[in-house]
Amino acid sequence: MGIFRYILPSAQLQPYIRYYWILNTNENLDTLTFPIGCPQLIFHRRSRFYIPEFGAEQARFSISGQVNFPARVQSSGDVETIVVVFHPHAIGTMFNIPVSSFYNQEIDGYSLGDKSLNILADDVLNADDAAEAVKLIEQWLLLRLVETAIYNFKRAGASLKLLFTDNTISVESMAQLACLSRKQYERVFFNAVGMKPKEYSNVARFQKSLWLMQNGNRDFADIAYSCGYADQSHFIRECRRYSGTTPMDLLKTQPVYSDLFASPF
């Protein structure tokens, strides 16, 4: 699989950025990926990933929004890729465009027409090494915090914290925590996260099930109960929806890892 490196962001950016990861490999890749619940900036300094579901290579600089489907990532080697993984509700603090524009999309970052962002991408792609590139990304992110988005960021963040603790929490309860009506809350959540709260809670529930399997749980009925599914059959259907296969087959074919609930640190 090559060499993965994970880097923590600076303390000032940690409320917004979960981590950076860097992949260096000369091996062929063909990996199944799942909805992780976190938007990403992706910089391909060498070869680019091919995504069969889109029928195209990712752009050299891509923005990946919230998605609700599995996808394969393929490459023929010579890879040095840097990825910025945002907290679920944080990418809107960096961009003056609706986060919903990224929903189920792999967008060429250059297509946004943002001169500052284009300069960053050029600098990252042409930096001497990945470490220097990450420093450039950090500097840019610190300058780009959009103060007008911070209020909704905080309201969405409080309800997300509750959701991650209790996957059975209702949208109404999340709205009450944010001191908003359900309609107002759904609008705030969608603008901050880029996905409606009910749909996002389904992604989070699936990621929680991956985390339980990652930690050795093979009792699918118990996983269904722990994650708030109606029953084991419901869990299996949702797993097939988000991974393309059943939990049993998933465990047989690849290591199971929850990007949302597990930490590389």
Side-chain angles (χ1 to χ4, degrees), residues 69-83:
F69 58 89
R72 301 206 73 85
V73 171
Q74 299 174 342
S75 173
S76 57
D78 191 29
V79 169
E80 184 176 70
T81 295
I82 301 171
V83 178

Side-chain angles (χ1 to χ4, degrees), residues 26-101:
N26 287 313
E27 302 174 12
N28 292 341
L29 297 178
D30 189 353
T31 302
L32 180 63
T33 64
F34 315 124
I36 70 170
C38 297
Q40 302 166 85
L41 303 184
I42 304 167
F43 299 88
H44 295 295
R45 285 167 46 84
R46 296 178 189 162
S47 295
R48 296 179 285 167
F49 294 153
Y50 179 77
I51 312 297
E53 287 72 15
F54 291 124
E57 288 185 323
Q58 287 181 327
R60 292 196 71 200
F61 167 45
S62 295
I63 301 174
S64 178
Q66 299 285 2
V67 299
N68 62 7
F69 58 89
R72 301 206 73 85
V73 171
Q74 299 174 342
S75 173
S76 57
D78 191 29
V79 169
E80 184 176 70
T81 295
I82 301 171
V83 178
V84 183
V85 181
F86 286 85
H87 286 289
H89 57 308
I91 196 168
T93 62
M94 307 291 173
F95 295 91
N96 280 311
I97 61 174
V99 177
S100 56
S101 301

Side-chain angles (χ1 to χ4, degrees), residues 33 43 51 60 65 92 94 97-98 117 125 146 149 180 190 193 201 203 221 243:
T33 64
F43 299 88
I51 312 297
R60 292 196 71 200
M94 307 291 173
I97 61 174
L117 186 60
L125 296 174
V146 180
L180 297 169
F190 188 57
V193 177
S201 68
V203 171
S243 73

Side-chain angles (χ1 to χ4, degrees), residues 193-205:
V193 177
M195 182 179 275
K196 294 181 179 179
K198 182 61 177 177
E199 184 177 22
Y200 188 83
S201 68
N202 291 338
V203 171
R205 183 169 56 186

Side-chain angles (χ1 to χ4, degrees), residues 104-232:
N104 277 348
Q105 298 289 323
E106 295 272 357
I107 293 176
D108 184 340
Y110 285 107
S111 71
L112 298 180
D114 184 323
K115 183 177 179 180
S116 171
L117 186 60
N118 292 349
I119 291 172
L120 169 69
D122 289 343
D123 290 345
V124 167
L125 296 174
N126 294 301
D128 291 339
D129 53 43
E132 176 63 25
V134 169
K135 289 180 182 178
L136 293 169
I137 294 169
E138 282 253 313
Q139 292 168 5
W140 186 87
L141 290 171
L142 285 167
L143 292 172
R144 279 291 290 237
L145 287 176
V146 180
E147 292 297 328
T148 55
I150 297 299
Y151 187 53
N152 285 342
F153 165 80
K154 290 180 178 179
R155 290 199 290 193
S159 57
L160 281 168
K161 185 176 180 180
L162 184 62
L163 172 65
F164 295 153
T165 302
D166 179 7
N167 290 115
T168 66
I169 192 72
S170 67
V171 176
E172 286 79 7
S173 295
M174 294 168 71
Q176 288 174 7
L177 180 66
C179 299
L180 297 169
S181 69
R182 174 167 178 155
K183 186 175 181 179
Q184 289 173 319
Y185 174 75
E186 287 181 334
R187 184 174 65 252
V188 166
F189 189 96
F190 188 57
N191 289 339
V193 177
M195 182 179 275
K196 294 181 179 179
K198 182 61 177 177
E199 184 177 22
Y200 188 83
S201 68
N202 291 338
V203 171
R205 183 169 56 186
F206 167 68
Q207 281 286 329
K208 182 68 173 291
S209 74
L210 292 180
W211 183 79
L212 291 172
M213 289 190 284
Q214 175 187 337
N215 284 277
N217 193 332
R218 300 295 183 265
D219 184 337
F220 297 147
D222 180 67
I223 291 173
Y225 174 79
S226 299
C227 296
Y229 292 103
D231 51 33
Q232 182 173 330

